[in-house]
Amino acid sequence: MTKWFMWMGLTMLTGSPLLSLVLLAVLMFAADRFTLQLFPSPVRAFKRWQRAGELAGTILTNTHDRRARAELADLRVGQKRYQEAVDLLRPNLDAGDDDVDTLYLLGVAYLGAGDAPRGELLLTEAERLDADYRQGAIDLERGRFRLQRGDFKGAREALERFLQVRQGSVEGRVLLSRVLDKQGLDIEAKDARDAAWREYSVAPRFQKRRDRWWAYRARPSRPLTYAAVALLFMGLGAYLTRYLPTHDAAGPYGAYYDEPYAADDMGGDDAE
């Protein structure tokens, strides 16, 4: 309601509901940057893009810089440009980089690029080196990509193992609910979504910022309801502003000066 009143006030000042909506969005985003920081940071996205350009330039001048290749591949995986990540990391593996970080990242890149056998093999090798790597991240990625390619049984096994390690993961529970939906287990899927929302509700603020989109996927009706209510109030506000009283630009005494000066009667006692 506060945002709606702010929008109404801006509409009365500017006379444009659309411009007022833009101004309100800018004000909300600026306020969020200094308070809760719920919205993604454009500065952070720009820095990642800038860093990727720097790394690409480094690799062009020195193709054997394996550290730059690994860092850029990590950025490409985050951007879901999996084949580029494979092309960047494969030379590292061929050169002898068989540490758990390289195996894990290259395995995820292969899975994303559609080469499931190689991706699964690399994740298995990474798990052999460190079974608890990043608190179950290997099983999370297994479950995610198995779900995508229709291996629901394997996805469920991986995600259930992951949730044994990281019980508070909203993302893991939402993915598990999707697997259960695909298996026709509607009640179990609903329970998993409810559990995901409960975990999100009691999570600390920094974790909520990270998990908010997964939480909304657990309860998609929430953001849709908020959007519908916002659109309703915006439409009502736009309708009401059409009937707000307006003031004549001539001022309160404008009625006495309706005629132009040229039309005034210049006659009188001094007229000849």
mmCIF file of all heavy atoms in Angstrom, residues 63-71 73 86-99 102 106:
data_model
loop_
_atom_site.group_PDB
_atom_site.id
_atom_site.type_symbol
_atom_site.label_atom_id
_atom_site.label_comp_id
_atom_site.label_asym_id
_atom_site.label_seq_id
_atom_site.Cartn_x
_atom_site.Cartn_y
_atom_site.Cartn_z
ATOM 1 N N THR A 63 48.149 -18.287 -24.296
ATOM 2 C CA THR A 63 47.184 -19.381 -24.337
ATOM 3 C C THR A 63 47.449 -20.447 -23.288
ATOM 4 O O THR A 63 46.587 -21.295 -23.042
ATOM 5 C CB THR A 63 47.197 -20.045 -25.728
ATOM 6 O OG1 THR A 63 48.526 -20.525 -26.007
ATOM 7 C CG2 THR A 63 46.785 -19.049 -26.798
ATOM 8 N N HIS A 64 48.616 -20.443 -22.672
ATOM 9 C CA HIS A 64 48.966 -21.461 -21.673
ATOM 10 C C HIS A 64 48.719 -21.000 -20.238
ATOM 11 O O HIS A 64 49.136 -21.683 -19.301
ATOM 12 C CB HIS A 64 50.441 -21.856 -21.824
ATOM 13 C CG HIS A 64 50.774 -22.395 -23.180
ATOM 14 N ND1 HIS A 64 50.305 -23.607 -23.639
ATOM 15 C CD2 HIS A 64 51.526 -21.878 -24.189
ATOM 16 C CE1 HIS A 64 50.755 -23.827 -24.862
ATOM 17 N NE2 HIS A 64 51.493 -22.787 -25.221
ATOM 18 N N ASP A 65 48.040 -19.873 -20.076
ATOM 19 C CA ASP A 65 47.726 -19.380 -18.731
ATOM 20 C C ASP A 65 46.542 -20.179 -18.192
ATOM 21 O O ASP A 65 45.373 -19.825 -18.409
ATOM 22 C CB ASP A 65 47.405 -17.883 -18.782
ATOM 23 C CG ASP A 65 47.326 -17.258 -17.392
ATOM 24 O OD1 ASP A 65 47.049 -17.995 -16.427
ATOM 25 O OD2 ASP A 65 47.543 -16.037 -17.284
ATOM 26 N N ARG A 66 46.831 -21.240 -17.473
ATOM 27 C CA ARG A 66 45.777 -22.150 -17.026
ATOM 28 C C ARG A 66 44.912 -21.535 -15.929
ATOM 29 O O ARG A 66 43.717 -21.842 -15.820
ATOM 30 C CB ARG A 66 46.402 -23.463 -16.548
ATOM 31 C CG ARG A 66 46.917 -24.314 -17.704
ATOM 32 C CD ARG A 66 47.496 -25.629 -17.219
ATOM 33 N NE ARG A 66 48.829 -25.435 -16.650
ATOM 34 C CZ ARG A 66 49.577 -26.431 -16.158
ATOM 35 N NH1 ARG A 66 49.105 -27.662 -16.118
ATOM 36 N NH2 ARG A 66 50.779 -26.183 -15.680
ATOM 37 N N ARG A 67 45.506 -20.678 -15.120
ATOM 38 C CA ARG A 67 44.705 -20.023 -14.080
ATOM 39 C C ARG A 67 43.644 -19.117 -14.699
ATOM 40 O O ARG A 67 42.485 -19.107 -14.253
ATOM 41 C CB ARG A 67 45.615 -19.215 -13.162
ATOM 42 C CG ARG A 67 44.873 -18.526 -12.015
ATOM 43 C CD ARG A 67 45.835 -17.833 -11.076
ATOM 44 N NE ARG A 67 46.717 -18.791 -10.414
ATOM 45 C CZ ARG A 67 47.652 -18.444 -9.545
ATOM 46 N NH1 ARG A 67 47.824 -17.160 -9.245
ATOM 47 N NH2 ARG A 67 48.410 -19.357 -8.981
ATOM 48 N N ALA A 68 44.021 -18.368 -15.721
ATOM 49 C CA ALA A 68 43.056 -17.503 -16.400
ATOM 50 C C ALA A 68 41.976 -18.336 -17.083
ATOM 51 O O ALA A 68 40.797 -17.972 -17.083
ATOM 52 C CB ALA A 68 43.768 -16.617 -17.420
ATOM 53 N N ARG A 69 42.366 -19.460 -17.665
ATOM 54 C CA ARG A 69 41.395 -20.342 -18.311
ATOM 55 C C ARG A 69 40.376 -20.877 -17.300
ATOM 56 O O ARG A 69 39.177 -20.919 -17.561
ATOM 57 C CB ARG A 69 42.108 -21.508 -18.991
ATOM 58 C CG ARG A 69 42.777 -21.157 -20.312
ATOM 59 C CD ARG A 69 43.442 -22.379 -20.931
ATOM 60 N NE ARG A 69 43.920 -22.096 -22.275
ATOM 61 C CZ ARG A 69 43.161 -22.156 -23.362
ATOM 62 N NH1 ARG A 69 41.891 -22.521 -23.270
ATOM 63 N NH2 ARG A 69 43.675 -21.870 -24.543
ATOM 64 N N ALA A 70 40.857 -21.292 -16.134
ATOM 65 C CA ALA A 70 39.961 -21.840 -15.116
ATOM 66 C C ALA A 70 38.993 -20.774 -14.604
ATOM 67 O O ALA A 70 37.795 -21.031 -14.433
ATOM 68 C CB ALA A 70 40.778 -22.413 -13.970
ATOM 69 N N GLU A 71 39.507 -19.567 -14.369
ATOM 70 C CA GLU A 71 38.632 -18.509 -13.854
ATOM 71 C C GLU A 71 37.591 -18.105 -14.888
ATOM 72 O O GLU A 71 36.407 -17.910 -14.561
ATOM 73 C CB GLU A 71 39.479 -17.292 -13.452
ATOM 74 C CG GLU A 71 38.659 -16.212 -12.763
ATOM 75 C CD GLU A 71 39.493 -15.032 -12.315
ATOM 76 O OE1 GLU A 71 40.751 -15.127 -12.362
ATOM 77 O OE2 GLU A 71 38.899 -14.010 -11.921
ATOM 78 N N ALA A 73 36.466 -19.996 -17.324
ATOM 79 C CA ALA A 73 35.526 -21.111 -17.459
ATOM 80 C C ALA A 73 34.479 -21.082 -16.357
ATOM 81 O O ALA A 73 33.292 -21.370 -16.590
ATOM 82 C CB ALA A 73 36.287 -22.435 -17.446
ATOM 83 N N VAL A 86 33.918 -25.729 -21.621
ATOM 84 C CA VAL A 86 34.606 -26.981 -21.982
ATOM 85 C C VAL A 86 35.859 -26.669 -22.795
ATOM 86 O O VAL A 86 36.950 -27.208 -22.530
ATOM 87 C CB VAL A 86 33.668 -27.910 -22.761
ATOM 88 C CG1 VAL A 86 34.449 -29.080 -23.372
ATOM 89 C CG2 VAL A 86 32.568 -28.439 -21.861
ATOM 90 N N ASP A 87 35.721 -25.810 -23.798
ATOM 91 C CA ASP A 87 36.864 -25.474 -24.657
ATOM 92 C C ASP A 87 37.982 -24.796 -23.858
ATOM 93 O O ASP A 87 39.164 -24.950 -24.194
ATOM 94 C CB ASP A 87 36.403 -24.556 -25.786
ATOM 95 C CG ASP A 87 35.416 -25.245 -26.719
ATOM 96 O OD1 ASP A 87 35.415 -26.496 -26.761
ATOM 97 O OD2 ASP A 87 34.638 -24.544 -27.397
ATOM 98 N N LEU A 88 37.615 -24.053 -22.820
ATOM 99 C CA LEU A 88 38.627 -23.373 -22.005
ATOM 100 C C LEU A 88 39.339 -24.335 -21.050
ATOM 101 O O LEU A 88 40.549 -24.228 -20.845
ATOM 102 C CB LEU A 88 37.966 -22.254 -21.196
ATOM 103 C CG LEU A 88 37.569 -20.994 -21.968
ATOM 104 C CD1 LEU A 88 36.602 -20.167 -21.150
ATOM 105 C CD2 LEU A 88 38.804 -20.180 -22.329
ATOM 106 N N LEU A 89 38.595 -25.282 -20.478
ATOM 107 C CA LEU A 89 39.154 -26.133 -19.438
ATOM 108 C C LEU A 89 39.802 -27.413 -19.961
ATOM 109 O O LEU A 89 40.659 -27.985 -19.291
ATOM 110 C CB LEU A 89 38.058 -26.510 -18.429
ATOM 111 C CG LEU A 89 37.883 -25.592 -17.225
ATOM 112 C CD1 LEU A 89 36.790 -26.126 -16.311
ATOM 113 C CD2 LEU A 89 39.175 -25.438 -16.446
ATOM 114 N N ARG A 90 39.392 -27.866 -21.128
ATOM 115 C CA ARG A 90 39.942 -29.115 -21.635
ATOM 116 C C ARG A 90 41.474 -29.083 -21.751
ATOM 117 O O ARG A 90 42.151 -30.052 -21.372
ATOM 118 C CB ARG A 90 39.312 -29.427 -23.004
ATOM 119 C CG ARG A 90 39.759 -30.755 -23.596
ATOM 120 C CD ARG A 90 39.263 -31.923 -22.773
ATOM 121 N NE ARG A 90 40.031 -33.132 -23.035
ATOM 122 C CZ ARG A 90 39.714 -34.336 -22.593
ATOM 123 N NH1 ARG A 90 38.622 -34.490 -21.854
ATOM 124 N NH2 ARG A 90 40.459 -35.375 -22.867
ATOM 125 N N PRO A 91 42.075 -27.982 -22.248
ATOM 126 C CA PRO A 91 43.548 -27.927 -22.282
ATOM 127 C C PRO A 91 44.185 -28.031 -20.897
ATOM 128 O O PRO A 91 45.280 -28.591 -20.758
ATOM 129 C CB PRO A 91 43.838 -26.572 -22.938
ATOM 130 C CG PRO A 91 42.633 -26.279 -23.751
ATOM 131 C CD PRO A 91 41.486 -26.821 -22.952
ATOM 132 N N ASN A 92 43.514 -27.501 -19.868
ATOM 133 C CA ASN A 92 44.047 -27.624 -18.510
ATOM 134 C C ASN A 92 44.113 -29.081 -18.074
ATOM 135 O O ASN A 92 45.093 -29.529 -17.480
ATOM 136 C CB ASN A 92 43.173 -26.840 -17.531
ATOM 137 C CG ASN A 92 43.350 -25.335 -17.658
ATOM 138 O OD1 ASN A 92 43.844 -24.856 -18.670
ATOM 139 N ND2 ASN A 92 42.948 -24.602 -16.645
ATOM 140 N N LEU A 93 43.043 -29.824 -18.370
ATOM 141 C CA LEU A 93 43.028 -31.244 -18.000
ATOM 142 C C LEU A 93 44.095 -32.012 -18.773
ATOM 143 O O LEU A 93 44.795 -32.864 -18.202
ATOM 144 C CB LEU A 93 41.646 -31.835 -18.265
ATOM 145 C CG LEU A 93 41.424 -33.281 -17.812
ATOM 146 C CD1 LEU A 93 41.505 -33.371 -16.284
ATOM 147 C CD2 LEU A 93 40.075 -33.796 -18.304
ATOM 148 N N ASP A 94 44.244 -31.707 -20.051
ATOM 149 C CA ASP A 94 45.256 -32.379 -20.861
ATOM 150 C C ASP A 94 46.668 -32.061 -20.369
ATOM 151 O O ASP A 94 47.586 -32.883 -20.532
ATOM 152 C CB ASP A 94 45.114 -31.973 -22.329
ATOM 153 C CG ASP A 94 43.811 -32.467 -22.938
ATOM 154 O OD1 ASP A 94 43.237 -33.428 -22.389
ATOM 155 O OD2 ASP A 94 43.354 -31.884 -23.947
ATOM 156 N N ALA A 95 46.834 -30.870 -19.771
ATOM 157 C CA ALA A 95 48.152 -30.469 -19.269
ATOM 158 C C ALA A 95 48.454 -31.040 -17.888
ATOM 159 O O ALA A 95 49.540 -30.805 -17.355
ATOM 160 C CB ALA A 95 48.258 -28.945 -19.240
ATOM 161 N N GLY A 96 47.510 -31.768 -17.298
ATOM 162 C CA GLY A 96 47.768 -32.421 -16.018
ATOM 163 C C GLY A 96 47.031 -31.855 -14.834
ATOM 164 O O GLY A 96 47.253 -32.301 -13.706
ATOM 165 N N ASP A 97 46.147 -30.887 -15.039
ATOM 166 C CA ASP A 97 45.361 -30.335 -13.933
ATOM 167 C C ASP A 97 44.208 -31.288 -13.621
ATOM 168 O O ASP A 97 43.118 -31.184 -14.213
ATOM 169 C CB ASP A 97 44.816 -28.951 -14.292
ATOM 170 C CG ASP A 97 45.895 -27.893 -14.323
ATOM 171 O OD1 ASP A 97 47.026 -28.215 -13.924
ATOM 172 O OD2 ASP A 97 45.612 -26.765 -14.756
ATOM 173 N N ASP A 98 44.440 -32.222 -12.713
ATOM 174 C CA ASP A 98 43.394 -33.182 -12.356
ATOM 175 C C ASP A 98 42.960 -33.007 -10.898
ATOM 176 O O ASP A 98 42.586 -33.976 -10.237
ATOM 177 C CB ASP A 98 43.864 -34.614 -12.600
ATOM 178 C CG ASP A 98 45.177 -34.922 -11.873
ATOM 179 O OD1 ASP A 98 45.732 -34.009 -11.227
ATOM 180 O OD2 ASP A 98 45.643 -36.080 -11.955
ATOM 181 N N ASP A 99 43.006 -31.771 -10.425
ATOM 182 C CA ASP A 99 42.546 -31.479 -9.063
ATOM 183 C C ASP A 99 41.022 -31.476 -9.032
ATOM 184 O O ASP A 99 40.352 -31.446 -10.064
ATOM 185 C CB ASP A 99 43.093 -30.124 -8.609
ATOM 186 C CG ASP A 99 42.695 -29.005 -9.557
ATOM 187 O OD1 ASP A 99 43.274 -28.955 -10.673
ATOM 188 O OD2 ASP A 99 41.797 -28.220 -9.202
ATOM 189 N N THR A 102 39.121 -28.544 -10.917
ATOM 190 C CA THR A 102 39.083 -28.657 -12.377
ATOM 191 C C THR A 102 38.132 -29.759 -12.803
ATOM 192 O O THR A 102 37.333 -29.588 -13.743
ATOM 193 C CB THR A 102 40.491 -28.931 -12.921
ATOM 194 O OG1 THR A 102 41.358 -27.861 -12.551
ATOM 195 C CG2 THR A 102 40.473 -29.053 -14.432
ATOM 196 N N LEU A 106 34.815 -28.877 -14.976
ATOM 197 C CA LEU A 106 34.745 -29.440 -16.316
ATOM 198 C C LEU A 106 33.597 -30.448 -16.419
ATOM 199 O O LEU A 106 32.927 -30.533 -17.465
ATOM 200 C CB LEU A 106 36.068 -30.096 -16.684
ATOM 201 C CG LEU A 106 36.202 -30.623 -18.120
ATOM 202 C CD1 LEU A 106 35.919 -29.531 -19.140
ATOM 203 C CD2 LEU A 106 37.598 -31.212 -18.338
#
